Amino acid sequence: MNALGELVELRAMRPGDADALWRWNHDPDVMRWMSAGYPQTPETVATWLAARPRNDYGDVLFGVCERGGGTLIGLIRLHGAEPETGIAELDIYLGEKDFWGRGYATDTVRTACRYGFDRMRLHKITLTVVVDNEAAHHVYRKVGFVDEGRLRQVFRRDGRWLDQYTMGLLAGELR
């Protein structure tokens, strides 16, 4: 089932998305504020997507597409959800840099959170963001996330250890 925002449509990831995913995962600008894994081949990424279990309550992975145009521009995931707690963690990145700074990230986060609260019946969505990633921190706050704590020196980039904010959004706080 797809979820529609003002600028984006969220849909299940497909094996055909592997080339874009591989390209994004090997772009230093896209991966700047993410914990990068080890280099993979495009075939490995395609195999992972094909073998990945289907979306379910505990783990939903969406491709982010430009609404109307259908261009795949990124991905967003709600994972770690359990019905007993009603809490999930959110991960996002937009890999197509032409869509940065144009409201697509905000709409993507808002649309995924609305899906989580309405369809999954979540009570809370959490995330972490590197303190120096001011653009992402701004997007999360704009949607209604609040800073709940600071994790000291948990992310390494350019030879430095950086802090991360832990943030949370309750169902009634989504803007």
Side-chain angles (χ1 to χ4, degrees):
M1 181 175 301
N2 294 357
L4 293 176
E6 292 179 17
L7 300 174
V8 300
E9 178 178 358
L10 307 183
R11 60 144 172 92
M13 292 290 289
R14 304 173 183 146
D17 298 331
D19 287 340
L21 187 56
W22 179 85
R23 184 170 37 85
W24 300 335
N25 287 344
H26 290 84
D27 183 324
D29 293 333
V30 174
M31 299 305 292
R32 173 118 184 103
W33 300 116
M34 298 175 54
S35 297
Y38 296 101
Q40 302 291 323
T41 65
E43 295 79 20
T44 304
V45 175
T47 299
W48 175 80
L49 275 176
R52 187 181 186 287
R54 60 179 250 189
N55 285 339
D56 63 21
Y57 181 83
D59 190 352
V60 179
L61 176 65
F62 286 117
V64 179
C65 295
E66 177 186 23
R67 188 168 176 175
T71 302
L72 182 68
I73 64 172
L75 59 85
I76 192 161
R77 182 177 177 207
L78 290 167
H79 61 98
E82 296 180 4
E84 295 83 6
T85 62
I87 300 171
E89 186 170 345
L90 182 136
D91 296 320
I92 176 180
Y93 73 95
L94 297 186
E96 295 299 329
K97 294 185 261 189
D98 290 345
F99 292 86
W100 291 5
R102 297 177 47 202
Y104 286 89
T106 301
D107 191 48
T108 299
V109 172
R110 185 177 287 125
T111 303
C113 289
R114 187 174 300 115
Y115 179 91
F117 293 134
D118 293 348
R119 300 259 175 88
M120 297 171 68
R121 296 184 311 277
L122 294 173
H123 172 66
K124 183 177 185 176
I125 298 173
T126 65
L127 60 85
T128 58
V129 60
V130 178
V131 170
D132 288 10
N133 188 352
E134 295 171 6
H137 191 234
H138 173 75
V139 165
Y140 301 140
R141 292 179 58 138
K142 187 175 181 179
V143 172
F145 280 87
V146 296
D147 295 336
E148 293 185 333
R150 189 173 181 130
L151 304 170
R152 299 181 310 137
Q153 298 185 9
V154 295
F155 184 84
R156 188 169 173 83
R157 183 63 66 222
D158 300 330
R160 298 180 334 163
W161 285 100
L162 302 169
D163 295 356
Q164 286 184 335
Y165 294 119
T166 180
M167 302 182 78
L169 176 71
L170 300 175
E173 297 173 336
L174 180 63
R175 292 184 272 207

